[in-house]
């Protein structure tokens, strides 16, 4: 009999803890809806006590997701659990995920508690959470470095208190596969009532072993895995969802794994990966397994020859199985609407006729500027078009740049700002160290003035890269700025890198303004 491995996706909680990743509630919902299509079992949508934005995001996800369980994180404290449940209360199947550290180092230095106090706090938290729902998960934070006897006692007692899932995190990514698998085996052997709960694992990637440790845990008894899309997460990240799912699917002949399956629709993997990367601004490394740009590219002549003769000589996964389109077909200015539509479907986008028409106009204008339109270009066009459906306060009307050697770079920028009440245009000119700096200063001048901000946001990251190959490739810019300890991210694409830089900065401002409005920090009424 096959056994199911439950996929608990924490992209929106631990993944969002990646440095620089910060999502608006609307963006979190967009990712959650895609995770639902992907077929994950549980979506951890956030940590509601952490901020009003996170609370808002969890409630939005909880209200809209129907096929997956929606989880919210809470420390083992009544106020956290109350807040988690009030964010989750409209979910079809809510899960409260409560945790406390069980390792000596955390207990002594972070919590400053005795072991007895930790045990009592854990049991009380689970009992309290059970008043709201039967679906309670308990995590022993820093489990991999915890004293086994003590941790087993905590697990036994929280199961008696009503926890249905026991999560064993390798919080600091310290384990190696044999050691971590053995830990799971020990828990199964030592905790007398362990059969009343599902064992879950949550591995961090500090030594690059998060996926390997998770697989070892499955072999030794874990039946839920916590993971994130593209492996994003705190520090070196979490176990990558796509790798775990594809290991289980690909190793169906390996005796230790053949009895397991997941309910993930692997054809949605690539699309989900792109969406998460686009919205978080965290670029996927080219050699990343399963979803990296080079994951299915064969460079050496011997390999290419082998693949032409028989794909399996050098390919263990069919790119189409994870939704990577076979990129033999490159579109250009003679390609028609039908070819574009077909390509969009292959790339995993089902768009309405209205949106297809708009994308087609943009596609034609791009094809006039560059010879070949690659998949990356098409994905960028669709994301830009779909992004327009998101709330936008600020839009670019036009910009003019004056720059060159021996010239002081200056920029004139005109923005359209829309509120619920009206639409207004504002124009400013500035000079700077370079044309992008000048344009950013002009934008800041307009927006700080309109939204009454006393200080200018601090630019903390600016990245520019070509999204496809060739001299005429489009440039993609990702920028991050910080305001009041909050990071916002924006992304812009164009064949003109100054335009891409300006679009990215405006999108960063839009994401910032959305968050400020959600948390009531500023009033958007002009
Ligand atoms: O890494 C960790 O220990 C966590 C827990 C809160 C599950 O993220
Ligand atoms: Zn974690």
């Amino acid at each position: 009999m096959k056994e199911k491995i439950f996929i608990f996706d924490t992209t929106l909680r631990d993944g969002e803890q990646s440095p620089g990743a910060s999502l608006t509630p609307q963006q979190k919902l967009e990712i959650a809806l895609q995770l639902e299509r992907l077929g994950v079992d549980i979506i951890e949508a956030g940590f509601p006590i952490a901020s009003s934005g996170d609370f808002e995001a969890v409630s939005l996800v909880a209200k809209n997701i129907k096929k997956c369980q929606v989880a919210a994180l809470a420390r083992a404290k009544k106020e956290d659990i109350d807040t988690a449940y009030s964010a989750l209360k409209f979910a079809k199947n809510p899960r409260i995920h409560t945790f406390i550290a069980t390792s000596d180092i955390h207990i002594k230095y972070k919590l400053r508690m005795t072991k007895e106090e930790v045990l009592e706090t854990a049991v009380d938290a689970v009992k309290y959470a059970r008043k709201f729902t039967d679906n309670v998960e308990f995590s022993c934070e820093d489990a991999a470095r915890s004293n086994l006897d003590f941790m087993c006692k905590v697990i036994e007692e929280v199961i008696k208190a009503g926890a249905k899932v026991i999560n064993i995190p390798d919080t600091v990514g310290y384990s190696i596969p044999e050691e971590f698998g053995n830990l799971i085996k020990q828990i199964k052997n030592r905790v007398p009532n362990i059969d009343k709960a599902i064992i879950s694992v949550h591995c961090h990637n500090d030594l690059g072993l998060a996926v390997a440790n998770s697989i070892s845990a499955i072999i030794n008894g874990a039946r839920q895995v916590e993971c994130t899309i593209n492996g994003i997460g705190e520090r070196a990240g979490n176990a990558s969802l796509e790798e775990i799912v594809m290991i289980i699917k690909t190793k169906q002949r390996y005796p230790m794994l053949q009895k397991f399956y997941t309910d993930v629709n692997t054809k949605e993997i690539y699309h989900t990966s792109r969406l998460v990367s686009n919205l978080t601004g965290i670029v996927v490394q080219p050699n990343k397994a399963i979803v990296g740009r080079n994951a299915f590219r064969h460079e050496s002549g011997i390999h290419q020859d082998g693949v032409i003769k028989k794909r399996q000589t050098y390919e263990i996964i069919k790119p189409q199985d994870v939704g990577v389109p076979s990129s033999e077909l490159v579109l250009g200015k003679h390609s028609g609407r039908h070819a574009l539509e077909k390509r969009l479907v292959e790339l995993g986008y089902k768009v309405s006729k209205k949106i297809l028409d708009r994308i087609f106009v943009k596609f034609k204008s791009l094809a006039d500027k560059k010879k070949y339109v690659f998949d990356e270009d098409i994905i960028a066009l669709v994301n830009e078009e779909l992004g327009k459906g998101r709330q936008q306060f600020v839009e670019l009307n036009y910009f003019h740049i004056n720059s060159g050697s021996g010239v002081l770079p200056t920029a004139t920028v005109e923005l359209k700002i829309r509120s619920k009440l009206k639409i207004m245009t504002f124009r400013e000119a500035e000079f700077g160290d370079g044309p992008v700096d000048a344009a950013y200063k002009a934008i800041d001048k307009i927006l700080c003035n309109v939204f009454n901000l006393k200080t200018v946001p601090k630019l903390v990251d600016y990245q520019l890269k070509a999204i496809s190959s060739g001299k005429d490739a489009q440039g993609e810019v990702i920028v991050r700025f910080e305001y009041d300890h909050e990071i916002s991210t924006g992304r812009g694409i164009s064949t003109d890198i100054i335009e891409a830089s300006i679009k990215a900065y405006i999108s960063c401002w839009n994401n910032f303004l959305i968050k400020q409005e959600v948390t009531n920090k500023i009033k958007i009424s002009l």
Side-chain angles (χ1 to χ4, degrees):
M1 246 276 271
K2 289 261 187 198
E3 279 190 60
K4 172 163 163 154
I5 300 299
F6 288 85
I7 299 295
F8 178 112
D9 180 279
T10 182
T11 307
L12 301 178
R13 199 277 297 169
D14 218 326
E16 211 218 5
Q17 286 172 222
S18 304
S22 154
L23 298 162
T24 63
Q26 198 55 41
Q27 290 174 325
K28 279 199 171 191
L29 176 61
E30 213 174 309
I31 293 177
L33 290 167
Q34 178 55 30
L35 290 170
E36 188 175 47
R37 280 190 284 276
L38 178 67
V40 308
D41 299 289
I42 305 109
I43 297 174
E44 186 166 50
F47 189 9
I49 193 101
S51 70
S52 43
D54 231 21
F55 182 93
E56 196 62 40
V58 175
S59 22
L60 196 61
V61 171
K63 281 179 198 148
N64 287 283
I65 292 295
K66 298 287 169 253
K67 294 193 197 133
C68 316
Q69 300 175 41
V70 178
L73 188 66
R75 286 168 300 181
K77 293 181 182 218
K78 278 191 173 168
E79 49 173 330
D80 280 37
I81 296 169
D82 286 337
T83 314
Y85 190 70
S86 49
L88 284 174
K89 65 176 180 261
F90 296 112
K92 198 162 169 218
N93 196 347
R95 174 181 293 191
I96 297 177
H97 176 193
T98 186
F99 73 100
I100 192 164
T102 47
S103 67
D104 289 354
I105 183 164
H106 278 232
I107 293 174
K108 184 169 172 197
Y109 295 103
K110 185 184 81 172
L111 299 174
R112 299 197 173 129
M113 290 166 97
T114 62
K115 284 190 169 156
E116 293 67 37
E117 284 166 341
V118 168
L119 177 61
E120 198 185 324
T121 309
V123 169
D124 288 351
V126 170
K127 281 190 183 152
Y128 189 66
R130 278 295 305 259
K131 289 189 198 302
F132 299 104
T133 168
D134 290 351
N135 192 352
V136 174
E137 169 170 337
F138 176 80
S139 282
C140 305
E141 194 191 8
D142 204 16
R145 293 191 301 171
S146 297
N147 172 287
L148 188 58
D149 288 339
F150 174 63
M151 189 167 69
C152 286
K153 181 76 194 153
V154 173
I155 295 173
E156 184 183 345
E157 293 305 318
V158 294
I159 294 176
K160 281 190 204 152
K164 291 283 184 278
V165 179
I166 298 297
N167 186 36
I168 307 297
D170 182 8
T171 303
V172 290
Y174 182 67
S175 282
I176 61 173
E178 198 193 6
E179 189 187 13
F180 197 64
N182 196 39
L183 174 65
I184 303 303
K185 195 190 280 170
Q186 292 293 328
I187 291 170
K188 273 196 78 121
N189 290 341
R190 287 187 187 207
V191 178
N193 52 359
I194 196 69
D195 56 316
K196 303 218 160 42
I198 291 176
I199 301 180
S200 165
V201 287
H202 173 116
C203 296
H204 279 270
N205 206 29
D206 300 65
L207 293 173
L209 291 170
V211 169
N213 287 339
S214 306
I215 295 293
S216 174
I218 292 173
I219 292 171
N220 285 284
R223 294 294 174 265
Q224 174 181 289
V225 183
E226 303 198 355
C227 43
T228 59
I229 299 294
N230 301 336
I232 63 170
E234 187 83 41
R235 304 182 311 279
N238 289 63
S240 128
L241 181 149
E242 59 278 8
E243 292 176 27
I244 289 172
V245 167
M246 289 315 291
I247 290 170
I248 296 172
K249 188 175 161 106
T250 309
K251 297 295 286 180
Q252 281 296 301
R253 294 221 188 108
Y254 179 60
M256 300 291 203
L257 287 175
Q258 68 190 170
K259 66 171 177 182
F260 302 119
Y261 72 96
T262 72
D263 274 337
V264 167
N265 174 5
T266 61
K267 290 200 162 56
E268 291 289 337
I269 284 180
Y270 183 69
H271 188 40
T272 316
S273 160
R274 297 298 316 163
L275 181 70
V276 169
S277 172
N278 287 340
L279 294 184
T280 57
I282 300 177
V283 176
V284 177
Q285 74 192 58
N287 59 327
K288 164 85 179 62
I290 319 293
V291 289
R293 181 161 26 97
N294 298 343
F296 298 100
R297 283 189 184 164
H298 304 277
E299 193 67 26
S300 102
I302 298 176
H303 288 208
Q304 287 177 349
D305 179 57
V307 169
I308 290 166
K309 288 176 176 148
K310 186 151 179 80
R311 269 193 177 274
Q312 288 89 329
T313 50
Y314 287 99
E315 233 172 53
I316 58 163
I317 296 170
K318 278 200 243 134
Q320 302 89 296
D321 285 355
V322 292
V324 173
S326 50
S327 38
E328 277 100 56
L329 184 70
V330 178
L331 302 185
K333 71 175 178 187
H334 299 298
S335 311
R337 187 187 307 260
H338 188 64
L340 177 68
E341 188 178 10
K342 187 163 171 279
R343 197 80 193 131
L344 286 174
V345 173
E346 283 166 0
L347 290 167
Y349 295 99
K350 286 166 205 93
V351 295
S352 65
K353 189 180 165 311
K354 212 165 108 201
I355 293 190
L356 175 67
D357 288 345
R358 292 213 297 260
I359 296 172
F360 187 65
V361 172
K362 291 199 152 184
F363 162 77
K364 279 288 182 192
S365 116
L366 183 63
D368 275 338
K369 291 187 201 145
K370 66 197 299 276
K371 194 161 173 206
Y372 298 118
V373 180
F374 296 100
D375 289 343
E376 291 87 347
D377 295 313
I378 296 174
I379 291 170
L381 285 184
V382 187
N383 285 336
E384 200 173 49
E385 207 43 58
L386 295 178
K388 292 226 174 98
R390 292 178 211 131
Q391 193 182 4
Q392 308 281 334
F393 291 111
V394 187
E395 271 172 53
L396 176 66
N397 259 1
Y398 79 80
F399 70 94
H400 177 83
I401 297 290
N402 192 12
S403 177
S405 47
V407 176
L408 182 68
T410 55
T412 307
V413 179
E414 188 176 280
L415 301 178
K416 184 153 73 184
I417 302 184
R418 55 174 88 233
S419 71
K420 282 179 199 111
L421 309 173
K422 55 186 168 206
I423 300 177
M424 292 175 79
T425 50
F426 296 85
R427 190 185 320 127
E428 279 293 352
E430 267 292 352
F431 62 87
D433 295 334
V436 174
D437 183 45
Y440 284 13
K441 280 186 178 154
I443 295 171
D444 285 342
K445 203 165 173 186
I446 298 174
L447 297 177
C448 288
N449 197 12
V450 170
F451 296 111
N452 254 326
L453 302 187
K454 308 254 169 322
T455 52
V456 173
K458 184 167 164 253
L459 188 70
V460 289
D461 192 16
Y462 172 95
Q463 295 174 43
L464 164 67
K465 71 171 174 79
I467 61 171
S468 56
S469 50
K471 275 209 307 275
D472 54 1
Q474 295 200 88
E476 176 187 53
V477 173
I478 294 173
V479 290
R480 291 196 172 83
F481 69 48
E482 190 184 331
Y483 188 89
D484 203 11
H485 309 294
E486 276 250 20
I487 300 276
S488 301
T489 304
R491 196 170 155 272
I493 288 166
S494 169
T495 44
D496 173 335
I497 57 171
I498 302 205
E499 185 174 72
S501 305
I502 293 176
K503 281 182 169 177
Y505 201 58
I506 291 175
S507 119
C508 196
W509 263 99
N510 271 319
N511 289 334
F512 165 74
L513 292 168
I514 292 165
K515 274 189 270 167
Q516 297 287 310
E517 200 199 25
V518 167
T519 53
N520 281 324
K521 286 198 191 145
I522 59 173
K523 276 228 157 335
I524 315 278
S525 50
L526 295 171

